[in-house]
Amino acid sequence: MKLYNSLSRKIEEFKPLAPPKVSFYACGPTVYDYTHIGHLRTYTNDDVLRRTLSSVGFDLNYVMNITDVGHLTGDDDSGEDKLEKKAKGTKQTVWEVAKFYTDFFEKSIKALNILLPTTFIKATDHIEDMITLVKKLEEKGFAYVTKEAVYFDTTKFSSYGKLSGQKLDDKIQKSRDEIHIDSEKKHPADFALWFKKQGRFADHAMSWDSPWGEGFPGWHIECSAMSMKYLGETIDIHAGGIDHLPVHHENEIAQSEAATGKTFVHYWFHNDFLLVDGKKMSKSLNNFYTLEDIQKKGINPLALRLLYLQTHYRKQMNFTWESAQAANLALKNLRDQVIALKNQQDRTSLSEEKLAKNDEYKNKFYEALSNDLQTPQALAVVWEVLKSNIPSTDKLDLLYDFDQVLGLGLSEVKTEELPPHIFDLQKKINEARKQKDFELSDKLRKEIQDQGYKVEDTPTGTVVKK
Ligand code: AMP
Ligand code: ZN
């Protein structure tokens, strides 16, 4: 398995620390607003990576957090807590806001066949773990306290910026127009580990006791604390969208490695953006669509999954309704072909040549995925199998196997319960078409249609529907 590692900026051979075990951490959603289809692109690609690793024999522990506290508007500790801001604008409590959008997130990922994490945890359930980690950083001299907060001292961590390649000096320039500046903050790149319940945060609804007084954790510390708790101090894979790379992930590395003296993550897996009209789909630009928007347009959520798979995860992808409709048709076509295959019963004994052909398709499919997750090439193998002349049962076996990774629900496609005489006619049509007796197949087709059924031809056979 080869994977691009954002840290080395190279495609590397994937070698987990303790095979066959793989520790995988994915930054979860901040639950202050609807999950949109940009988020879903990232989580789908993470899911495909997870399923691919499982399919080639690894045993994954996949941890995802829910960010329900501490994520501020603005990347520089200057803004408001996103959940508190949302709650103020509604009649709900922060806890209700978190619950509502967590449920929406879960509903959305389920609709896209994204497997639930093995460990799915909330930041607010891990405040003690975060406090312990901040204390450790303080003891080791990597943190300092001001009237407003506890900060990580980036100048003390010599490799700060190694993930993004940014120098600390660049941060000085970028941070000049901060909205709120803590005058005691020593360096603009320093980031809050703990905010005190004072000043702009005096009314903060979520707060806990700590050695630095009542307050709440900064956003970055939660991922370090939870990753270490469930997966250990060094993990194999950490995933997220590309927007998290320069600040959030850089800070996660700094505070984790400063605390443990060990490498935090071996492989950094970053997804590029879903765009709309050339701009990043985001809550702040209000240019987003959700699962419900997709369903309202009559598009199967799994068609969205298929659409994502058509673009490599490290490329930007522009969303259009035309492309979503096209993916919907493609999915329907794929499912119809599965139905037609299921209706055919031509299990013939496999000759060695045919067996070799099956292996060739399988190898091609997994080679594409093992090459830094080339999903477009893997999909091309699906269509190739459908067009091939291998027996339909073998086609089905291959499709079901591929679908363990693709997650398009192909094994759940239901053939319609047809009355036996209609089912018989359908079988006869398939026979006639195989013999190229089109006169007979047309006659049989009319016979079925006259009884109120629809007959559709697909490249793999005839499908009859009510
Ligand atoms: P957030 O809730 O903002 O922390 O985002 C949850 C995940 O979705 C993160 O990994 C983000 O990087 C990712 N993400 C946000 N917007 C997009 C987008 N337009 N395209 C792809 N991934 C995104
Ligand atoms: Zn994170």
Side-chain angles (χ1 to χ4, degrees):
M1 178 85 201
K2 289 195 168 67
L3 267 187
Y4 180 83
N5 185 351
S6 314
L7 185 63
S8 64
R9 297 177 193 87
K10 283 193 195 102
I11 293 181
E12 294 177 25
E13 188 61 40
F14 176 64
K15 290 194 195 119
L17 279 167
K21 298 222 174 299
V22 171
S23 45
F24 190 137
Y25 186 92
C27 289
T30 307
V31 285
Y32 73 105
D33 209 334
Y34 290 104
T35 299
H36 60 61
I37 62 172
H39 303 133
L40 290 175
R41 180 183 182 209
T42 283
Y43 293 118
T44 299
N45 285 323
D46 292 352
D47 183 62
V48 172
L49 174 58
R50 171 188 183 176
R51 286 167 176 261
T52 301
L53 291 169
S54 297
S55 281
V56 299
F58 290 110
D59 173 15
L60 267 79
N61 189 357
Y62 185 94
V63 176
M64 188 190 286
N65 64 304
I66 292 283
T67 299
D68 52 359
V69 66
H71 193 172
L72 304 194
T73 55
D75 268 341
D76 48 12
D77 299 333
S78 62
E80 283 179 78
D81 185 302
K82 292 184 179 188
L83 269 102
E84 301 260 339
K85 186 175 171 192
K86 183 74 175 204
K88 267 183 213 149
T90 63
K91 287 201 174 72
Q92 291 179 310
T93 66
V94 265
W95 303 99
E96 284 164 346
V97 168
K99 168 93 177 71
F100 179 82
Y101 293 112
T102 302
D103 289 349
F104 192 83
F105 172 74
E106 276 196 56
K107 182 172 118 181
S108 305
I109 63 170
K110 279 187 192 149
L112 264 79
N113 264 352
I114 296 170
L115 301 173
L116 281 176
T118 12
T119 311
F120 197 22
I121 40 175
K122 288 196 284 186
T124 49
D125 287 337
H126 295 80
I127 303 296
E128 273 311 313
D129 302 291
M130 297 181 218
I131 291 176
T132 306
L133 191 55
V134 178
K135 275 206 298 213
K136 199 164 174 186
L137 288 169
E138 202 182 14
E139 277 156 27
K140 288 194 161 194
F142 286 101
Y144 61 92
V145 186
T146 72
K147 277 200 281 310
E148 299 188 11
V150 183
Y151 290 105
F152 183 87
D153 191 340
T154 47
T155 57
K156 295 265 170 68
F157 186 69
S158 58
S159 55
Y160 188 83
K162 68 177 169 183
L163 181 63
S164 59
Q166 291 177 88
K167 302 260 176 333
L168 270 180
D169 292 350
D170 296 342
K171 292 259 178 179
I172 297 177
Q173 306 222 310
K174 280 191 192 135
S175 303
R176 271 195 188 135
D177 50 354
E178 283 178 340
I179 305 159
H180 173 88
I181 304 172
D182 179 348
S183 56
E184 291 178 275
K185 193 168 162 180
K186 293 188 196 162
H187 191 285
D190 294 352
F191 54 91
L193 299 165
W194 187 263
F195 289 105
K196 295 184 184 175
K197 191 171 174 169
Q198 58 77 54
R200 71 197 150 125
F201 296 130
D203 298 330
H204 215 263
M206 284 183 170
S207 71
W208 295 264
D209 265 344
S210 84
W212 315 280
E214 205 174 326
F216 63 97
W219 170 37
H220 316 296
I221 197 74
E222 68 172 86
C223 289
S224 294
M226 291 191 267
S227 175
M228 281 183 209
K229 176 166 182 158
Y230 293 98
L231 298 170
E233 291 178 340
T234 302
I235 67 162
D236 294 311
I237 305 175
H238 190 119
I242 196 92
D243 51 339
H244 283 353
L245 188 153
V247 180
H248 183 51
H249 291 162
E250 200 74 86
N251 293 349
E252 280 186 33
I253 293 178
Q255 63 202 1
S256 307
E257 299 193 351
T260 66
K262 295 182 189 152
T263 301
F264 176 45
V265 172
H266 277 167
Y267 300 88
W268 283 93
F269 179 80
H270 285 106
N271 285 277
D272 214 316
F273 293 138
L274 183 75
L275 310 177
V276 60
D277 298 328
K279 290 201 189 78
K280 179 194 169 196
M281 181 172 287
S282 70
K283 294 166 188 172
S284 50
L285 288 177
N286 203 22
N287 61 352
F288 65 86
Y289 303 116
T290 68
L291 172 72
E292 284 174 358
D293 297 317
I294 295 293
Q295 287 170 325
K296 267 186 222 149
K297 295 257 183 183
I299 293 168
N300 185 331
L302 293 179
L304 192 61
R305 185 169 172 115
L306 177 62
L307 182 66
Y308 296 146
L309 300 183
Q310 289 166 359
T311 303
H312 188 240
Y313 76 94
R314 281 195 291 120
K315 288 206 175 106
Q316 292 192 336
M317 173 180 166
N318 198 45
F319 176 81
T320 61
W321 286 110
E322 290 73 29
S323 61
Q325 297 288 5
N328 204 36
L329 277 180
L331 181 70
K332 187 181 170 299
N333 177 340
L334 192 55
R335 290 178 155 230
D336 279 351
Q337 296 207 45
V338 169
I339 294 174
L341 289 169
K342 277 172 118 173
N343 287 337
Q344 288 171 24
Q345 313 189 340
D346 63 349
R347 167 71 82 177
T348 45
S349 59
L350 289 178
S351 69
E352 290 209 347
E353 192 196 329
K354 275 182 180 154
L355 266 177
K357 196 81 196 148
N358 288 5
D359 280 348
E360 192 184 308
Y361 289 127
K362 220 170 182 166
N363 290 342
K364 225 170 152 182
F365 180 81
Y366 284 104
E367 263 166 30
L369 293 169
S370 298
N371 179 18
D372 192 28
L373 223 63
Q374 289 293 346
T375 49
Q377 287 173 17
L379 282 177
V381 182
V382 170
W383 297 109
E384 222 179 293
V385 165
L386 285 169
K387 280 199 208 105
S388 73
N389 58 4
I390 61 171
S392 17
T393 330
D394 299 319
K395 284 187 186 174
L396 264 186
D397 287 349
L398 280 170
L399 290 180
Y400 289 166
D401 179 71
F402 295 169
D403 204 44
Q404 300 283 321
V405 175
L406 300 175
L408 297 170
L410 299 185
S411 52
E412 287 111 56
V413 171
K414 296 253 183 316
T415 42
E416 265 184 274
E417 282 292 321
L418 298 173
H421 68 286
I422 299 287
F423 187 65
D424 239 33
L425 283 169
Q426 175 183 263
K427 258 173 45 188
K428 282 185 186 153
I429 292 185
N430 278 322
E431 273 310 306
R433 281 183 67 190
K434 237 186 228 161
Q435 308 298 330
K436 302 211 177 330
D437 187 347
F438 298 115
E439 204 177 311
L440 177 61
S441 74
D442 283 348
K443 193 173 145 265
L444 294 164
R445 163 193 299 270
K446 193 162 177 315
E447 222 176 290
I448 295 185
Q449 283 166 338
D450 287 348
Q451 296 182 58
Y453 289 85
K454 217 163 66 181
V455 185
E456 286 173 11
D457 289 329
T458 78
T460 41
T462 298
V463 182
V464 176
K465 293 176 176 170
K466 270 213 184 98

